[in-house]
Amino acid sequence: MVRNLVGLGDMALKWWDELYSRCCDIIAHPGDYSESCRGKVLAALFYEPSTRTNFSFQSAMLRLGGSVFGFSDPMGTSVAKGETLADTIRIAAAYSDTIVMRSPQEGAAAAAAMYSEVPIVNAGDGSHFHPTQTLADLTTIAQKRGAVENIRVGICGDLKHGRTVHSLVEALSIFSGISYSLISPEALSMPEYILRAMRACGQEYTEMRNLRDAIPGLDILYMTRVQRERFVSATEYERLKNAYILTKDALSSARSDMLIMHPLPRYSEIAPDVDDDPRAVYFEQARFGMFIRMALLYEFANLPRRMQPLPEATAGFMCCNPACVTQSEQYLPQLCAESAAGSKVKRCTYCDAESSIADGVWRIES
Ligand code: NCD
């Protein structure tokens, strides 16, 4: 049984089919669900800014008859006094039936799941994953095309830092006939661990630099924002922030039924005059996100409370990713698995970063 939604790497088609059919039923008969979470409470813990994800989860819980508490700035809580993530989670779990959390730290939701007796939903962990955005994306594709299969998907923008695209690619691996045009500047290309996973499950992709060259032949164009908050160098961000701008003119070579998607917020990557194009579905995508989150909360908020024993640390391993949650929450047991890149390379269980050891020192793989 699925208890937490941290990533979508092991999403089963059967789970998705059931969740999506619940979502369709909610869309068709919202009144039937208005009491289905009566007495249930959602904790919405947002350590990073959010509009759609936070508001749509809150709206989803209220529409199911439940209630919500939480924060959108941790500095108004004991986090400002140095409280750990584990303790904040234990307390929020004591007062709620499901926790939705967003954090700048990669692997934070996986860490939280170890300390929570209620389900944890990852609403974005740094540049890593954002699984419920992907559920919104899959819902949009299914609603607009009838099915999620046999599609060429163009993903454009910041593929390095964009957590929504990492989750999208992870989830699409269970559907048949998916191929990709990955459009980004070289400095913002898809991380190697994602590309390796794509190759391992036979997903065909082409890396491209030019958006106009990619557009003909696409069934879906998924635009993304260059993620300013993940850049170390402001100059590098300035150089790349306008790398791609989708204009009405550029769409003249697109298929008449191509979907233009975006997780939002946008910066400059979609010109406002594209909004009127019938192929632009990004505002509807945000609304579908609320319905699929209703389906998820309907399932999670009604699960029995349960605490798992803490896993044992993997002796001798140390994750080297500076954005990993284990760097700031140092009490967390270090955990890893063997990487597909080779037996000397270890993959952090929280953030998926790959590290290897040489002369007794762990180093991150490029
Ligand atoms: C995305 C996010 O937070 O990762 N937004 C969202 O949740 N819809 C995309 C982004 O911030 O660019």
Side-chain angles (χ1 to χ4, degrees), residues 48-54 102 123-124 126 129-130 132-133 161-164 222 224-227 229-230 262-266 269 293:
E48 268 195 342
S50 172
T51 300
R52 275 145 293 273
T53 308
N54 192 357
R102 170 171 288 187
F129 288 138
H130 190 348
T132 69
Q133 178 60 48
H161 303 109
R163 55 195 174 194
T164 65
Y222 194 100
T224 66
R225 174 180 70 94
V226 176
Q227 308 272 303
E229 64 276 33
R230 312 283 177 222
H262 194 306
L264 303 175
R266 70 176 139 180
E269 60 279 359
R293 287 174 175 120

Side-chain angles (χ1 to χ4, degrees), residues 134-308:
T134 297
L135 298 182
D137 303 340
L138 297 180
T139 304
T140 307
I141 298 169
Q143 288 277 316
K144 291 287 172 186
R145 294 185 54 93
V148 187
E149 57 187 18
N150 301 324
I151 40 175
R152 183 148 190 104
V153 185
I155 310 183
C156 176
D158 188 347
L159 311 190
K160 179 180 179 193
H161 303 109
R163 55 195 174 194
T164 65
V165 301
H166 302 161
S167 283
L168 181 62
V169 166
E170 204 180 36
L172 284 176
S173 68
I174 66 169
F175 298 95
S176 58
I178 312 286
S179 64
Y180 298 92
S181 298
L182 303 176
I183 311 139
S184 74
E186 190 167 5
L188 300 180
S189 45
M190 193 68 98
E192 187 50 38
Y193 80 94
I194 304 268
L195 292 177
R196 191 175 314 115
M198 291 170 82
R199 290 192 294 269
C201 63
Q203 287 182 311
E204 187 264 309
Y205 65 84
T206 313
E207 294 190 278
M208 305 178 80
R209 306 281 166 244
N210 189 298
L211 175 58
R212 278 180 187 256
D213 290 350
I215 286 179
L218 294 180
D219 298 299
I220 291 170
L221 175 57
Y222 194 100
M223 296 295 293
T224 66
R225 174 180 70 94
V226 176
Q227 308 272 303
R228 184 180 57 192
E229 64 276 33
R230 312 283 177 222
F231 279 73
V232 180
S233 154
T235 326
E236 182 70 346
Y237 170 70
E238 287 302 316
R239 182 175 78 83
L240 295 167
K241 68 179 186 188
N242 291 319
Y244 300 103
I245 299 179
L246 182 66
T247 58
K248 225 179 181 134
D249 176 50
L251 284 168
S252 56
S253 62
R255 286 193 178 157
S256 59
D257 61 351
M258 183 187 80
L259 300 180
I260 306 165
M261 299 177 65
H262 194 306
L264 303 175
R266 70 176 139 180
Y267 175 64
S268 59
E269 60 279 359
I270 300 184
D273 66 357
V274 174
D275 298 356
D276 299 335
D277 191 301
R279 293 167 288 192
V281 296
Y282 27 91
F283 295 116
E284 280 177 274
Q285 189 181 344
R287 185 161 163 85
F288 287 133
M290 178 185 70
F291 290 117
I292 196 77
R293 287 174 175 120
M294 285 175 78
L296 188 70
L297 289 178
Y298 174 86
E299 182 182 322
F300 275 13
N302 288 303
L303 288 175
R305 306 175 79 82
R306 198 181 68 196
M307 198 68 202
Q308 299 270 64

